[in-house]
Amino acid sequence: MKNPEFRTRFAPSPTGPLHLGHAYSAMLAHDMARAAGGAFLLRIEDIDQARARDEWEQAIYEDLAWLGLTWETPALRQSERSAVYREGVDGLWAEGLLFACSCNRRDVRAAAAAPNEGEPVFGPDGIVYPGTCRARKSEGHGPPPEGYALRLDMAAALERAGIGAVAFEETGTGPAGETGRIEVGGAEMIRGVGDVVLARRDMGTSYHLSVVIDDAAQGISHVVRGQDLFEATQIHVVLQRLLGLPTPVYHHHRLIRDDAGKRLAKRDDARAIRTYRADGASPADIRCMVGL
Ligand code: GLU
């Protein structure tokens, strides 16, 4: 169905070679945009400067071009947008929705395992934060302190957003076949997602914050991405509400797995697009391998 307003994107992190799973995601998003007569955009998600490499970014452009994809240029590079993310963080801090957290992963594990905490709950970002540093809330004055991670106070955020539940439209499927209108209640979000990190100590932002700000900046109407990110979507919807940004339609797709049923990882060089290329495969072969 034609819909020239349809804008989607592929948003890889340049931390390794693109594999079959990336190719599937990119080609599916591209095909959907072309079928709608809309736009396909590219975003390089390189906020993690400790892991991102220029050579992997160049390899992304090469692989996508080889696959026959074209995108609006220039691609958006997240490493150039730290001032925009900073503004988002400062705004949420000023509203008293963030708190400074000094816990590392081990602290979180230990606190969540304390006898009075019950069984640790696992959310989209791992163990749900047990609240150790929550008392260190911003009071709305002064900038956020340096040297801490900043977490979203989920209960305060939901209250501030004035929503009892988050909702979005899913045109693909979540891992358990979820589709259509997806609704997650506030109490469930507080319990199952909790106080997620919005600004990492080492990068001043996070995947969640950057992805939400950039989907809006690129005018994305439809987010096409893997089912592994389905659970994170509820966080994105809360952030969209807090930042006054629109919620796109989401289309989560199946993941490409290896013969043992395991999800492909960047270190799986055997399934890298460039390996298939070097072995003489054609883009049509790749389409066939991923079932497109
Ligand atoms: N950068 C993320 C990844 O490499 C994808 C983000 C998204 O599509 O929302 O998995």
Side-chain angles (χ1 to χ4, degrees):
M1 207 173 43
K2 290 283 171 210
N3 172 12
E5 312 279 297
F6 186 107
R7 288 171 71 82
T8 191
R9 47 55 164 197
F10 177 55
S13 300
T15 55
L18 295 188
H19 56 57
L20 280 183
H22 296 108
Y24 175 59
S25 200
M27 291 189 295
L28 178 65
H30 186 268
D31 289 358
M32 286 172 74
R34 294 292 170 258
F40 174 72
L41 290 88
L42 180 60
R43 177 161 76 235
I44 303 296
E45 298 214 325
D46 55 354
I47 51 173
D48 190 347
Q49 283 289 301
R51 292 174 61 224
R53 298 265 180 281
D54 280 348
E55 70 208 74
W56 294 128
E57 182 178 335
Q58 292 315 315
I60 289 171
Y61 300 136
E62 266 173 42
D63 283 345
L64 295 181
W66 177 77
L67 285 168
L69 308 191
T70 51
W71 56 92
E72 278 189 5
T73 51
L76 193 80
R77 299 177 73 237
Q78 291 193 322
S79 54
E80 293 168 1
R81 293 176 51 76
S82 42
V84 181
Y85 307 142
R86 177 85 210 195
E87 223 175 276
V89 168
D90 286 352
L92 295 172
W93 174 263
E95 288 195 65
L97 299 177
L98 306 182
F99 61 89
C101 177
S102 55
C103 299
N104 58 29
R105 272 175 212 271
R106 207 173 29 170
D107 299 331
V108 173
R109 259 200 317 270
N116 55 343
E117 286 288 338
E119 283 296 303
V121 179
F122 285 83
D125 284 354
I127 294 180
V128 171
Y129 187 63
T132 322
C133 293
R134 201 179 291 131
R136 221 186 263 136
K137 265 277 277 292
S138 60
E139 262 128 43
H141 41 74
E146 299 285 328
Y148 291 91
L150 301 177
R151 287 183 181 271
L152 181 68
D153 180 332
M154 187 58 81
L158 291 168
E159 200 184 310
R160 156 73 178 68
I163 44 177
V166 297
F168 61 93
E169 188 188 342
E170 172 65 58
T171 59
T173 47
E178 303 91 335
T179 192
R181 183 180 156 84
I182 309 292
E183 217 177 283
V184 188
E188 199 181 327
M189 284 208 63
I190 293 167
R191 193 195 65 82
V193 177
D195 302 336
V196 288
V197 171
L198 284 197
R200 282 172 51 173
R201 193 190 334 231
D202 52 342
M203 56 179 81
T205 184
S206 59
Y207 158 64
H208 299 306
L209 187 71
S210 301
V211 87
V212 160
I213 291 179
D214 288 344
D215 279 335
Q218 291 188 291
I220 300 303
S221 65
H222 290 70
V223 170
V224 179
R225 63 185 179 192
Q227 276 171 353
D228 52 328
L229 292 167
F230 177 80
E231 296 295 341
T233 308
Q234 52 192 323
I235 303 171
H236 301 170
V237 177
V238 172
L239 293 177
Q240 286 150 3
R241 295 295 290 257
L242 292 174
L243 298 169
L245 302 174
T247 294
V249 172
Y250 286 88
H251 186 96
H252 291 93
H253 60 69
R254 66 187 161 84
L255 301 178
I256 304 294
R257 299 181 184 275
D258 65 16
D259 300 336
K262 217 169 78 339
R263 212 178 108 196
L264 299 183
K266 288 242 168 75
R267 55 192 173 280
D268 276 330
D269 214 43
R271 320 245 163 196
I273 304 307
R274 56 180 191 159
T275 310
Y276 287 109
R277 244 165 83 187
D279 289 349
S282 70
D285 295 332
I286 303 284
R287 279 191 172 265
C288 184
M289 275 181 242
V290 298
L292 274 176

